[in-house]
Amino acid sequence: MATKAIDVLTELGNEWSLPNLRNYQAQVRWGSGDFAGAEATFRQAMDAARSDDDLFFVSFASAHLGMLLVDLERYDEAEAALDEGELGTNAITRSRMLGARARILAARGDPAARPLIDEALAMTSGWEWPMTRAEALFNAAHVDRAFGHGAAAESLAREAIALTRGKG
């Protein structure tokens, strides 16, 4: 379906929507376990945004690509994607980048992960975007688990799941 939408948008000359559509297409691929397809599509979203000099969507897609690469434990590549995205970040994207960077540091045993994830949690507290808050909680659970705080990690993960269920 997304591929057909991309073809229609291109045909109509409405290419400014392509980075956003490709980003969501990549998220669907990621969620269905097609990690290689998700990575390729996030990179296509970044390329489309770069060609339009759209720093917002470069940042948006690079944050998601960085999160995917963290999940795949490809930390150096994740850092490179996150570095590029820092150029045009907004608050939502920044919270994602903080969470991804905190997970990288935690995987490496670096206690500097804690202030980053605390910043992401504080930033998303009370937000009207439950999925972004859930992402921050999920990232915090990974950080806590990496440092051996299993009970805290489980509590954070349960809170994240509750938010995603509440969204419908």
Side-chain angles (χ1 to χ4, degrees), residues 58 105 116 120 129 146 154:
V58 170
L105 291 171
L116 292 182
W129 303 287
E154 182 177 343

Side-chain angles (χ1 to χ4, degrees), residues 9-132:
L9 287 171
T10 302
E11 184 179 321
L12 295 173
N14 192 358
E15 295 176 358
W16 62 268
S17 296
L18 289 178
N20 194 31
L21 185 58
R22 286 194 192 283
N23 189 67
Y24 287 111
Q25 181 184 32
Q27 289 181 46
V28 169
R29 287 181 172 159
W30 182 3
S32 68
D34 179 6
F35 303 122
E39 179 181 352
T41 307
F42 280 133
R43 292 187 188 283
Q44 289 171 346
M46 291 172 66
D47 289 344
R50 272 190 222 103
S51 72
D52 290 339
D53 293 322
D54 186 340
L55 291 179
F56 171 79
F57 273 111
V58 170
S59 179
F60 191 69
S62 71
H64 284 101
L65 175 61
M67 290 167 46
L68 170 67
L69 294 170
V70 167
D71 280 353
L72 297 175
E73 298 180 357
R74 291 167 46 194
Y75 302 122
D76 292 339
E77 292 174 76
E79 285 179 315
L82 297 169
D83 287 346
E84 181 175 4
E86 293 285 346
L87 300 173
T89 190
N90 64 16
I92 292 172
T93 302
R94 174 117 177 97
S95 70
R96 289 178 175 133
M97 290 182 172
L98 287 167
R101 288 187 189 283
R103 286 179 59 189
I104 292 166
L105 291 171
R108 293 174 174 159
D110 188 332
R114 182 84 264 159
L116 292 182
I117 202 61
D118 287 345
E119 183 179 347
L121 289 170
M123 179 182 256
T124 60
S125 179
W127 271 9
E128 62 184 280
W129 303 287
M131 295 308 290
T132 306

Side-chain angles (χ1 to χ4, degrees), residues 114 141 143-154:
R114 182 84 264 159
V143 169
D144 278 349
R145 186 187 71 204
F147 287 110
H149 307 296
E154 182 177 343

